[in-house]
Amino acid sequence: MVSLTIDGRQLEVPEGTTVLEAAKMAGIEIPTLCHHPKLTPYGGCRLCVVEVERMRTLQPSCTLPASNGMVVYTNTPKVREARKFILTLLFSERNHYCMYCQMSGGDCELQNAAYGEDMTHWPLPPNWNPYPVDASHKYFVLDHNRCILCRRCVRACGELVGNFTLGVRERGANIMVMADLDVPLGESTCISCGTCVQVCPTGALIDRMSAYRGREKDVERIKSTCVGCSVGCGIELIVRDNHLLRIEGDWDAPVNGGLLCEVGRFRPLYEDRERIVTPLVRVNGKQKAATWEEALHRITARLRPLAGRNGDGIAALASTRLPAEALYLFWQLFAEKLGSEMVTSIEEGLPTAMPGTMAQDIGGPFEGGLEALRSADCVVVIGTDLIENHQVAGFFVKRALPTGTRLIVIDPCENGLHRLAHHALQPRKGTDFELLSGIIAGIVQLGLAKKGTNDFSQYTPEVASLATGVPVEQILAASREIAAAQRPAFVYGKGLTGNGSQQALKALLELARLVGALDGEYSAVLSTKGQANSLAAYLYGLDRPFEVNGHQAVYLALGDDTPSQRLLQRLQGVPFIAVQASYLSPVTAMADVVLPVTTWAEQEGHYLNLEGRLQAAHRGLQSPAEVRSNVEVLEAIAANMGFTLDRHWKEALRKRTSIVAIRE
């Protein structure tokens, strides 16, 4: 520990703590602009300067390590004079006339810093040079007139996301933020994660949707969980007058630490589907609006006679975007009460059934968490594209590459990670087992195995090369890279699990065990699963292939999910279809009864993410008057049939062996 004094207060802080961090621990406010707690201290704006005894000049507190006996003053006349001068220079450099800026009124850190120093004007004449505005991006705008060159956006793009799209050009007064080799943002390598927008302290980067629609004092912030995929990122919903203005990453969330991708941050705001706001029933071949009583009666009348009939009774299908509470009620109603043998999810267990069987065979969970990706010095990604899907997990991998982490990608198809990989192996489809076995044999052959193995001795790198089409040199190079790592991690997806054979997964686990990534309770193996509640759906038994074999009725709990063309085709010819959904779609168009339900932002519930974290999603918006939650709809159908459903959804999650340990 280090002892120091700040503004007369004696403090003890851990070694390596900066003066700025120490002051924050003590509740002492030091203004900053270029600093952000998630970014490496930069010391660019100098607004955080402090006076330190025995130091000749003022020091930037964000980069100054605390030391024993240090005496710091944060609010002396000399410090305040320096802050005002810095702010004066910043305000006079570009167009910061606040009344024309959408961030004015509590959202702008530059303006707030000025008010903190009691500034109402600046004495220097402003620089009237006009700067360009880049409005080429579909989600946000870059206004160089508002930019203070703090480089937060540049650093966040590289340090947090690992994309390195943003940089700066020119020098001195001509410095400007640029994308790639100075191309418009809309034509750049930007992946639309929006991290740069969230870290910008002024109005230089603004998202199109929320600009001028409400200042900080006018909005409500609701912490929730993203349901865009199984990563389960923590989010904040920015709401005003029951309108969702924008979505921000929750900096305190343990899963994502504030990061979001396009799917979680922007796409929900641009939803362009027509809401269903009243129940619909089919009369004389056409759908018409109906009361809830009429719609529920129609469903009850058709489903009750089919209860318990095997083969041609009821088939039921649920979206894995539904909360765990709804998935459990869905399973109870159709599998337990109505006795249907065809109760599953839209994913049909494609990303979870095979690993789930493996967990049952092993007798317990075998996967780890995302923390393995944050600390790994070698990451092997097989059967998944972390550039297109589960992007935040991909950010953890990408941002580690400049620090020396090695990346090995195994995928028959070209994916976004190939260009970043140190070794990109493209085996023939269906030969993952042979390739992994060849890598295992290569590690043993090179004498680099940390543990012994005999199961794969017949698959030499040469044999694997013939089977997969991957050159022997590539197999041996990958073997050497994986074995040399001190902290290897493995990520796999549907490309590995989708073929239904456990052979490849067994080989992957053996490889992980061989190099120390799977040892007792420690595991650096992780699968990406599927949608938000993919793992919960598996644990409730909603993981079997969906087939319509003469079924007289299909009940689809779609929620706000988007039905696939494949699902649409398989529902053709079913005598009776009931759908609970938020939006109109080709599936609702063919339904006999449609029940309107809440969207993800209008419901309460829980989601089990890919690393086993059970997280709450909170309601940010009020739903239209005739719209009910997925839970309410399922309970209403059960009540109409005379059934009582229990709500022991949390206990039910633990009745089946999980792929990864569940943690709350």
Side-chain angles (χ1 to χ4, degrees):
M1 299 293 284
V2 172
S3 297
L4 74 160
T5 303
I6 303 180
D7 291 345
R9 297 178 60 179
Q10 187 83 20
L11 306 174
E12 279 201 358
V13 297
E15 192 170 347
T17 304
T18 65
V19 171
L20 179 64
E21 292 167 339
K24 187 175 181 180
M25 293 176 189
I28 299 170
E29 185 68 27
I30 299 177
T32 63
L33 282 174
C34 72
H35 180 76
H36 192 279
K38 293 293 182 178
L39 298 173
T40 302
Y42 178 61
C45 70
R46 319 304 271 192
L47 189 63
C48 67
V49 291
V50 293
E51 196 169 352
V52 183
E53 285 187 1
R54 296 191 300 276
M55 288 192 180
R56 184 173 57 85
T57 60
L58 298 178
Q59 300 294 315
S61 61
C62 67
T63 58
L64 181 65
S67 61
N68 273 318
M70 180 179 279
V71 179
V72 180
Y73 302 98
T74 69
N75 206 30
T76 64
K78 186 178 180 180
V79 168
R80 294 186 66 90
E81 182 183 357
R83 287 179 190 159
K84 286 185 178 181
F85 181 66
I86 291 164
L87 289 167
T88 294
L89 293 177
L90 287 172
F91 273 101
S92 63
E93 190 172 29
R94 297 194 179 182
N95 182 1
H96 294 293
Y97 284 94
C98 297
M99 66 287 290
Y100 299 115
C101 181
Q102 74 288 338
M103 299 291 284
S104 176
D107 293 350
C108 176
E109 293 180 37
L110 176 64
Q111 186 186 65
N112 292 344
Y115 283 142
E117 299 302 320
D118 298 323
M119 290 179 64
T120 57
H121 66 285
W122 62 92
L124 294 180
N127 182 357
W128 292 103
N129 290 334
Y131 291 87
V133 175
D134 184 349
S136 61
H137 199 282
K138 59 182 175 180
Y139 294 131
F140 52 86
V141 174
L142 171 57
D143 184 352
H144 292 283
N145 295 281
R146 309 292 186 191
C147 181
I148 59 172
L149 298 169
C150 66
R151 291 170 176 78
R152 272 199 203 175
C153 58
V154 177
R155 291 146 58 209
C157 188
E159 289 182 28
L160 300 183
V161 182
N163 213 55
F164 298 95
T165 295
L166 298 178
V168 293
R169 65 173 175 85
E170 301 290 350
R171 299 183 68 181
N174 295 322
I175 287 182
M176 291 176 63
V177 172
M178 69 173 183
D180 295 333
L181 297 178
D182 204 13
V183 301
L185 267 172
E187 301 171 15
S188 71
T189 57
C190 173
I191 57 173
S192 300
C193 70
T195 307
C196 59
V197 180
Q198 187 168 338
V199 300
C200 181
T202 66
L205 281 162
I206 57 168
D207 72 279
R208 294 175 179 273
M209 182 61 70
S210 66
Y212 297 102
R213 293 183 64 191
R215 308 199 185 284
E216 185 67 30
K217 61 183 179 62
D218 303 321
V219 302
E220 182 182 3
R221 288 178 171 265
I222 301 104
K223 290 197 175 189
S224 188
T225 301
C226 177
V227 299
C229 74
S230 61
V231 175
C233 295
I235 59 175
E236 280 194 300
L237 307 179
I238 315 301
V239 176
R240 183 187 184 192
D241 298 333
N242 207 36
H243 288 281
L244 181 58
L245 303 185
R246 68 181 180 274
I247 302 169
E248 292 185 350
D250 179 4
W251 296 116
D252 299 323
V255 174
N256 57 313
L259 296 181
L260 288 180
C261 67
E262 178 184 4
V263 173
R265 190 186 299 272
F266 291 119
R267 286 189 190 172
L269 302 176
Y270 290 80
E271 194 69 69
D272 192 25
R273 294 185 284 170
E274 186 176 349
R275 280 299 297 270
I276 304 169
V277 294
T278 186
L280 303 172
V281 297
R282 190 172 297 280
V283 179
N284 298 324
K286 294 184 178 181
Q287 288 180 341
K288 72 174 188 70
T291 63
W292 272 97
E293 290 72 18
E294 183 182 355
L296 292 171
H297 174 74
R298 183 77 64 93
I299 291 174
T300 302
R302 291 301 299 267
L303 297 188
R304 182 180 281 123
L306 300 175
R309 285 171 56 171
N310 292 321
D312 65 344
I314 305 166
L317 197 65
S319 166
T320 49
R321 279 176 61 93
L322 266 58
E325 294 88 336
L327 289 175
Y328 177 59
L329 293 178
F330 175 84
W331 176 85
Q332 269 192 90
L333 175 60
F334 291 100
E336 192 177 81
K337 303 297 184 182
L338 292 174
S340 172
E341 88 292 348
M342 182 49 65
V343 183
T344 188
S345 70
I346 288 177
E347 289 183 344
E348 305 174 66
L350 191 63
T352 52
M354 190 242 283
T357 302
M358 179 70 74
Q360 293 176 44
D361 293 344
I362 293 174
F366 62 86
E367 288 189 4
L370 289 166
E371 58 268 15
L373 297 183
R374 297 188 183 98
S375 60
D377 57 356
C378 178
V379 179
V380 181
V381 181
I382 178 168
T384 186
D385 185 351
L386 297 181
I387 298 297
E388 290 296 324
N389 305 300
H390 305 85
Q391 290 182 36
V392 171
F395 296 167
F396 298 150
V397 177
K398 287 166 55 182
R399 73 189 191 185
L401 298 181
T403 66
T405 296
R406 310 296 286 178
L407 174 62
I408 298 170
V409 179
I410 301 174
D411 197 325
C413 305
E414 185 81 24
N415 76 42
L417 281 177
H418 274 87
R419 65 181 181 83
L420 301 173
H422 298 93
H423 303 279
L425 282 57
Q426 292 185 262
R428 298 187 185 101
K429 286 189 176 181
T431 63
D432 290 327
F433 168 71
E434 288 79 5
L435 179 58
L436 290 168
S437 300
I439 293 174
I440 291 172
I443 291 174
V444 174
Q445 179 179 310
L446 293 167
L448 299 174
K450 294 183 175 69
K451 296 185 179 179
T453 181
N454 296 312
D455 297 340
F456 300 88
S457 56
Q458 70 273 31
Y459 287 98
T460 64
E462 290 75 18
V463 171
S465 178
L466 288 173
T468 64
V470 178
V472 174
E473 296 76 16
Q474 286 191 18
I475 295 175
L476 287 173
S479 301
R480 187 177 293 104
E481 196 81 76
I482 296 169
Q486 297 298 310
R487 300 177 305 281
F490 297 82
V491 183
Y492 68 97
K494 286 190 289 186
L496 186 76
T497 62
N499 59 22
S501 170
Q502 280 196 1
Q503 270 193 318
L505 181 55
K506 285 181 178 178
L508 178 64
L509 297 185
E510 179 63 12
L511 173 59
R513 188 190 69 83
L514 201 65
V515 296
L518 188 61
D519 187 6
E521 294 185 359
Y522 172 75
S523 176
V525 179
L526 180 68
S527 64
T528 52
K529 316 295 188 298
Q531 293 201 97
N533 249 338
S534 181
L535 181 56
Y538 161 75
L539 293 173
Y540 290 140
L542 305 174
D543 64 331
R544 61 177 301 176
F546 177 65
E547 297 176 2
V548 179
N549 293 323
H551 289 91
Q552 296 301 298
V554 170
Y555 189 94
L556 175 59
L558 186 65
D560 58 8
D561 207 346
T562 303
S564 66
Q565 190 64 32
R566 183 168 176 263
L567 175 61
L568 187 67
Q569 292 170 353
R570 287 192 288 178
L571 293 178
Q572 297 291 337
V574 176
F576 179 78
I577 300 174
V579 181
Q580 61 182 67
S582 306
Y583 300 100
L584 292 175
S585 69
V587 166
T588 62
M590 62 191 298
D592 297 281
V593 181
V594 180
L595 304 176
V597 293
T598 52
T599 65
W600 66 274
E602 298 166 348
Q603 67 187 2
E604 299 279 334
H606 288 79
Y607 289 83
L608 194 62
N609 84 333
L610 55 79
E611 57 179 355
R613 287 184 188 271
L614 188 59
Q615 303 181 116
H618 298 291
R619 181 188 299 113
L621 302 174
Q622 294 297 318
S623 58
E626 289 295 303
V627 172
R628 299 185 183 181
S629 73
N630 289 282
V631 167
E632 289 171 335
V633 168
L634 292 167
E635 288 183 329
I637 294 172
N640 256 31
M641 293 185 176
F643 302 137
T644 300
L645 304 179
D646 72 71
R647 289 200 175 190
H648 301 151
W649 61 272
K650 189 178 291 189
E651 293 85 346
L653 282 174
R654 301 181 185 275
K655 290 183 178 180
R656 198 176 190 188
T657 304
S658 179
I659 304 163
V660 59
I662 298 174
R663 42 183 170 169
E664 298 183 38

